[in-house]
Amino acid sequence: MDELDELYQEIILDHNKRPRGRGELPGATHTAQGDNPLCGDEIRVFVRLEGDKIADVKFIGEGCAISKASASLMTQAVRGKTVAQAKEQIQKIHDMFTGQGCCEHTSFDTDGEIAALGGVKKFPQRVKCATLAWHALDAALDGKPNVSTE
Ligand code: ZN
């Protein structure tokens, strides 16, 4: 395991142990339930929009370490951003796992802690765990009540 892998693993473990943005969000304007039947992860995302800005975002739910760490990283990454910026971030995460588009390669320098999710690419069966919270955020922003990775 190289140094970067170790750093990424530490970030995932830390966010799993001490999730940021966990809990219900009173006054949420948008919410969606994300299910990953493959692993049994269930993440509900709450968003409070003010105009086109994500004033706050939180999540509840249960799942494996990767799904929870990803949800935690997601709330940290998009809080305070505009809907357009959040959509860009969602696309970037998607591209990171599918290897398409301009943003296949993330780095810790430019992307911060969410680059750690890229480490999950080495475990294809866990990719849906890593993308679940982002799918749920996307659904919430689109006004869809739920989304499944199946
Ligand atoms: Zn999982």
Side-chain angles (χ1 to χ4, degrees):
M1 190 182 282
D2 65 27
E3 257 174 60
L4 195 61
D5 283 340
E6 252 173 65
L7 171 68
Y8 285 175
Q9 196 172 51
E10 251 172 55
I11 292 168
I12 298 285
L13 291 176
D14 180 56
H15 276 266
N16 174 50
K17 208 170 8 165
R18 299 184 299 117
R20 285 38 150 203
R22 190 164 196 201
E24 304 234 2
L25 180 59
T29 56
H30 294 64
T31 181
Q33 175 76 31
D35 293 317
N36 176 20
L38 211 64
C39 176
D41 309 315
E42 298 178 351
I43 300 281
R44 175 170 285 280
V45 170
F46 301 94
V47 179
R48 185 162 56 81
L49 284 187
E50 281 175 11
D52 72 340
K53 199 173 139 200
I54 298 173
D56 206 355
V57 51
K58 293 185 110 175
F59 78 98
I60 57 168
E62 285 307 324
C64 64
I66 292 172
S67 66
K68 278 193 285 181
S70 180
S72 173
L73 287 162
M74 182 276 290
T75 64
Q76 190 175 275
V78 303
R79 184 176 294 114
K81 300 278 168 64
T82 65
V83 171
Q85 286 169 329
K87 287 275 186 184
E88 251 174 54
Q89 189 67 67
I90 292 165
Q91 186 62 44
K92 195 166 180 180
I93 295 288
H94 179 77
D95 291 347
M96 181 166 87
F97 285 112
T98 57
Q100 292 166 352
C102 63
C103 313
E104 180 180 351
H105 302 289
T106 49
S107 77
F108 191 68
D109 292 337
T110 54
D111 301 287
E113 290 193 328
I114 55 168
L117 292 173
V120 177
K121 271 202 289 196
K122 288 180 191 156
F123 310 96
Q125 72 277 21
R126 311 307 297 278
V127 165
K128 285 178 175 176
C129 304
T131 55
L132 180 62
W134 300 86
H135 283 304
L137 172 67
D138 198 30
L141 292 175
D142 287 345
K144 293 179 192 151
N146 50 58
V147 63
S148 171
T149 57
E150 284 295 278

